[in-house]
Amino acid sequence: MKIIALVQEVDIAEKLKTAPDGTYQIGVLIGSFIPFVVLAGLAYWMYASAKKRDKNG
């Protein structure tokens, strides 16, 4: 688990400072939000399946 924490530690402010142009900044921004979007989708899927199971059971 400690290895994952080391890999995920990214300094976004430093990346934006050294960005070659504006499109790189957009890519960094989108890339930093992808994990949150995936987790929110997973949480919604779990909620919906639990609600469906409760309704049928």
Side-chain angles (χ1 to χ4, degrees), residues 44-57:
Y44 178 76
W45 173 75
M46 290 174 65
Y47 169 76
S49 64
K51 191 174 180 181
K52 187 186 296 184
R53 188 178 335 119
D54 191 36
K55 188 182 276 187
N56 291 337

Side-chain angles (χ1 to χ4, degrees), residues 1-2 9 11-12 17 19 39 42-43 49 52 56:
M1 191 61 134
K2 195 170 190 172
E9 189 174 321
D11 188 16
I12 295 174
K17 265 196 261 181
L39 287 175
L42 182 65
S49 64
K52 187 186 296 184
N56 291 337

Side-chain angles (χ1 to χ4, degrees), residues 5 8 10 13-15 17-18 21 25-26 32 35-36 43 46 50:
Q8 290 181 344
V10 177
E14 183 65 31
K15 281 190 171 193
K17 265 196 261 181
T18 59
D21 59 1
Q25 292 177 353
I26 293 170
S32 65
F36 298 111
M46 290 174 65

Side-chain angles (χ1 to χ4, degrees), residues 17-39:
K17 265 196 261 181
T18 59
D21 59 1
T23 57
Y24 185 81
Q25 292 177 353
I26 293 170
V28 170
L29 185 66
I30 291 171
S32 65
F33 283 119
I34 286 176
F36 298 111
V37 171
V38 169
L39 287 175

